[in-house]
Amino acid sequence: MHDWATLNAAVIDEFRTYGGRVERFGDLPVVIVHAIGARTREVRETPLIPVFADEEMLLFGTAAGSQSDPAWCHNLRAHPRVSVEYGTECFVAEVVELSTERAERIVAARTPGAPQLAEYVASAAPRRIPVFSVSRV
């Protein structure tokens, strides 16, 4: 079981201290998504590891292999306009959840080269991993 609040707070602090770098994630990019809570309507900050494909930023709702979608997925579905911190910049973006078919193709294409993603996908089954595309506004 993960203590997401404590982990996220530590990652966000390190991200901001070191200009977008987070040691535990090595060379992987990290973003902080500022989304409006689906129920609370309060701003929620969530650190995520995006995947870049053909100049498209994608977010995978793996929830570390949980049987349910992470809360941030529900927030993005309810309020798709977000702010994104990436490196030292912050920009407004629109988020779109990909179709089931496209999301499944992208997840299947990414898992062979990403053991942790493959582990999360297997652990989450039969839950489908939602994938979101992030576009600057």
Side-chain angles (χ1 to χ4, degrees):
M1 183 61 100
H2 296 276
D3 177 2
W4 291 115
T6 300
L7 176 62
N8 285 351
V11 169
I12 290 168
D13 183 56
E14 186 175 345
F15 176 98
R16 290 181 177 148
T17 300
Y18 298 104
R21 305 288 304 168
V22 179
E23 184 178 349
R24 79 179 71 221
F25 300 128
D27 290 332
L28 293 174
V30 178
V31 296
I32 299 172
V33 176
H34 303 245
I36 304 297
R39 288 180 299 175
T40 66
R41 298 200 179 275
E42 295 176 9
V43 175
R44 302 292 186 200
E45 296 180 346
T46 306
L48 300 167
I49 297 173
V51 170
F52 293 94
D54 300 325
E55 299 186 31
E56 184 175 32
M57 180 188 292
L58 301 172
L59 303 175
F60 290 63
T62 64
S66 169
Q67 289 298 305
S68 57
D69 290 347
W72 63 263
C73 289
H74 304 293
N75 296 342
L76 297 184
R77 289 173 182 132
H79 304 284
R81 182 157 291 213
V82 299
S83 293
V84 178
E85 288 181 63
Y86 180 51
T88 57
E89 72 170 318
C90 189
F91 58 91
V92 175
E94 198 71 30
V95 179
V96 175
E97 184 169 7
L98 303 184
S99 69
T100 299
E101 297 79 20
R102 183 163 180 230
E104 288 176 351
R105 281 195 311 272
I106 289 172
V107 169
R110 292 289 172 171
T111 53
Q116 188 170 36
L117 177 60
E119 178 184 319
Y120 290 166
V121 170
S123 179
R127 179 175 73 88
R128 167 186 86 76
I129 303 298
V131 180
F132 296 83
S133 176
V134 180
S135 302
R136 288 177 188 253
V137 172

